[in-house]
């Protein structure tokens, strides 16, 4: 069964304190791993797609990496505006996305 | 203008009522999806459609039905709403070549 597990559930950082979010996945043949950002009461906003182990993508203070079993979202010198819930998903065998429950990130000034 | 729009944005209804949530997109994508989001459970797929003539059940389709009226429109219906269908509902779209899905702003549905 395809499955996505994210950790930690919640993460509190001070502004400038770098850290990483984890996404572990089980899927029969990876057809894409996706990272989204979701602000309260809004729809998920697409960040990155990764397809193969060793691949990396960057956007501002965010960097996503991928291995055969997990993905990391590294946040370098975060700012309060980076506070959000970060969602990880994999593409299932039917073409749908299977989401993890997310990591709620809070960055305090 | 938003690429994926949902109406209504908020809806309060009573048990047993029929409810329709609508989704429209201007991205030109063939594929459309309906998800619900509950605290602690994450996003779960209700139905998806790869083109106008293709409708598929997702993980939690019981109690829901959909209609794909056109490439750009995908509606979700609750034939007889019940309180445990209270949730945030999201529509999403994707195209054939790129896998990422783009989400609408959501509909907050409360069933009393």
């Amino acid at each position: 069964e395809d499955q996505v597990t994210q950790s930690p559930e919640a993460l509190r950082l001070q502004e400038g304190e770098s850290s990483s979010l984890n996404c572990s996945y089980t899927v029969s043949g990876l057809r894409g791993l996706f990272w989204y950002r979701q602000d309260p009461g809004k729809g998920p906003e697409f960040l990155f797609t990764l397809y193969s182990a060793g691949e990396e993508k960057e956007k501002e203070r965010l960097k996503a990496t991928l291995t055969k079993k997990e993905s990391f979202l590294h946040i370098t010198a975060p700012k309060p505006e980076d506070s959000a819930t970060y969602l990880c998903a994999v593409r299932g065998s039917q073409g749908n996305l299977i989401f993890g429950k997310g990591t709620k990130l809070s960055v305090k000034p | 203008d938003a690429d994926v729009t949902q109406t209504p944005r908020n809806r309060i209804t009573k048990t047993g009522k029929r409810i329709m949530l609508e989704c429209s997109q201007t991205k030109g994508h063939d594929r459309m999806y309906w998800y619900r989001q509950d605290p602690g459970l994450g996003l779960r797929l209700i139905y998806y459609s790869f083109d106008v003539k293709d409708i598929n059940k997702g993980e939690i389709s019981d109690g829901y039905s959909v209609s794909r009226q056109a490439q750009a429109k995908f509606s979700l219906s609750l034939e007889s709403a019940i309180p445990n269908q209270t949730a945030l509902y999201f529509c999403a779209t994707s195209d054939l070549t790129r896998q990422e899905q783009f989400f609408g702003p959501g509909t907050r549905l409360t069933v009393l």
Side-chain angles (χ1 to χ4, degrees), chain A residues 31-32 34 36 38 41-46 49 51 87 91 94-101, chain B residues 9 31 33 35 37 40-43 45 48 50 88 90 98-105 108:
Chain A
R31 289 170 288 275
F34 307 86
Y36 286 82
Q38 186 176 22
K42 296 189 177 182
E45 175 189 349
F46 170 72
T49 307
Y51 287 105
L87 302 172
R91 185 167 182 253
Q94 296 174 309
N96 54 305
L97 290 185
I98 299 163
F99 282 87
K101 295 180 181 179
Chain B
R9 295 295 314 280
R31 301 181 173 192
Y33 310 80
Y35 292 88
Q37 188 174 41
L41 294 178
L43 279 159
L45 183 65
Y48 60 104
F50 283 174
L88 260 175
F90 290 103
R98 298 176 64 88
Q99 311 295 340
E100 56 265 24
Q101 295 181 14
F102 297 89
F103 285 78
R108 184 173 295 279

Side-chain angles (χ1 to χ4, degrees), chain A residues 63-85:
Chain A
K63 179 180 178 181
T65 62
L66 181 65
T67 72
K68 290 185 178 181
K69 294 183 178 181
E70 57 192 350
S71 177
F72 293 94
L73 184 65
H74 306 278
I75 303 176
T76 302
K79 297 182 177 181
E81 53 262 42
D82 294 322
S83 297
T85 296

Side-chain angles (χ1 to χ4, degrees), chain B residues 81-107:
Chain B
I82 56 177
N84 77 357
Q85 291 178 314
T86 293
L88 260 175
Y89 289 84
F90 290 103
C91 173
T93 73
S94 68
D95 68 18
L96 289 174
T97 55
R98 298 176 64 88
Q99 311 295 340
E100 56 265 24
Q101 295 181 14
F102 297 89
F103 285 78
T107 294

